[in-house]
Amino acid sequence: MTGALLTATGVTKRYAGIVALAKVDLEVRAGELVSVIGPNGAGKSTLFDCLTGVQRPDSGNVVFDGRDVDRMRPAARARAGMARTFQRIELFGGMTVLDHLLVADRARTRRGGLFTDILTGTKPSGVELARCRVVLRLLGLEEWAERPAESLSLGKGRLVELARALMCEPKLLFLDEPSSGLDRRETDEMGEALLRVQAERGLAVLLIEHDVPLVQRLAERIYVLDYGELLASGPTAKVLADQKVRVAYLGASS
């Protein structure tokens, strides 16, 4: 593990006078998995939006891989090494699992004509197919490669989203509630997939997640947001044992 890959300092965001984020500081080091937790409405997805460029914070600073990215659009941040999945599953209708990976690969390697290439039957190259097969194999999706993505279970669909993000070859992967809607078996499968990805790729992961057992299993450190403010941060076990965190997030009595 090396130094800080992502550093956010004093990130603040307001909506019509309502403070969604209040001077939030966060750091992710290269190769580590960090989780952001907190009750609904705590500002977790807003934080992701500000870090990935979907929204501009009202104040604060974001540095990624040694570069100030405050003025960079989401696409530029993606090219710099950020990739993201969303809480609401977002797959393309009428496209196979393999097509999803090819679109992401072509977005990374060249601009323009991405969907047209796929939908009009432009034949993928051997190099493209080889890159896709590596990721399909990593996530256990090889046997579903030619299946329409919308025909898969929610658990498999979320793995497709993860695979698509990995095709962008990120340095930092932002995952917004990857276990949302999944049963215990599917959640365990997602956890295993993330552990394999991190072990093989060595990339950093920033994870928003409500499933506390999954967070305990995966995250080295956690940040706890409550009403837009940073309530606590540090090693996972220590933070989850903090009484103020237990009251605010886990519902424990004081």
Side-chain angles (χ1 to χ4, degrees):
M1 185 179 298
T2 59
L5 178 64
L6 175 77
T7 303
T9 307
V11 174
T12 299
K13 183 67 180 178
R14 300 179 182 87
Y15 299 102
I18 297 174
V19 179
L21 294 172
K23 298 181 179 179
V24 174
D25 297 338
L26 178 145
E27 180 181 282
V28 181
R29 294 186 289 269
E32 73 172 341
L33 195 153
V34 177
S35 184
V36 179
I37 68 171
N40 290 331
K44 302 182 297 297
S45 291
T46 300
L47 177 61
F48 265 30
D49 286 347
C50 290
L51 296 177
T52 58
V54 174
Q55 298 190 55
R56 289 282 299 273
D58 297 308
S59 61
N61 176 245
V62 180
V63 175
F64 177 69
D65 200 19
R67 300 171 61 187
D68 188 319
V69 298
D70 290 330
R71 297 186 179 277
M72 291 174 62
R73 295 182 180 274
R77 298 190 198 200
R79 288 192 293 272
M82 294 183 180
R84 180 180 179 180
T85 67
F86 292 82
Q87 182 176 354
R88 181 177 178 179
I89 193 165
E90 296 186 355
L91 298 176
F92 307 132
M95 294 176 63
T96 67
V97 171
L98 178 60
D99 289 341
H100 280 73
L101 274 62
L102 286 169
V103 164
D105 189 57
R106 291 179 180 185
R108 181 185 62 82
T109 56
R110 70 174 188 265
R111 298 179 183 178
L114 305 173
F115 287 92
T116 301
D117 283 353
I118 297 297
L119 296 175
T120 58
T122 301
K123 188 175 180 180
S125 70
V127 172
E128 287 177 321
L129 289 174
R131 283 196 292 261
C132 291
R133 289 192 188 103
V134 168
V135 174
L136 290 168
R137 188 178 307 115
L138 177 62
L139 297 182
L141 291 171
E142 289 176 289
E143 65 181 286
W144 288 277
E146 301 299 335
R147 291 270 298 274
E150 67 266 27
S151 71
L152 302 182
S153 67
L154 180 59
K156 286 292 186 291
R158 291 206 176 277
L159 288 175
V160 173
E161 286 191 313
L162 177 58
R164 183 174 58 191
L166 290 176
M167 291 303 299
C168 299
E169 297 188 356
K171 299 174 184 176
L172 175 57
L173 184 59
F174 293 80
L175 302 178
D176 193 345
E177 298 278 6
S179 76
S180 179
L182 305 188
D183 60 27
R184 190 73 257 163
R185 180 188 60 79
E186 291 171 325
T187 297
D188 289 343
E189 184 179 18
M190 174 61 71
E192 289 291 341
L194 290 175
L195 290 173
R196 288 198 305 275
V197 165
Q198 202 178 22
E200 181 167 314
R201 298 291 176 98
L203 78 167
V205 178
L206 187 58
L207 169 73
I208 292 176
E209 187 52 68
H210 274 106
D211 190 304
V212 173
L214 185 61
V215 169
Q216 291 174 309
R217 180 182 178 190
L218 298 178
E220 301 166 51
R221 297 186 297 114
I222 58 175
Y223 290 83
V224 184
L225 288 179
D226 191 30
Y227 294 104
E229 296 186 354
L230 186 59
L231 183 64
S233 65
T236 300
K238 182 178 180 180
V239 171
L240 290 177
D242 188 309
Q243 186 61 27
K244 64 185 178 183
V245 172
R246 295 176 62 81
V247 171
Y249 180 54
L250 302 178
S253 61
S254 58

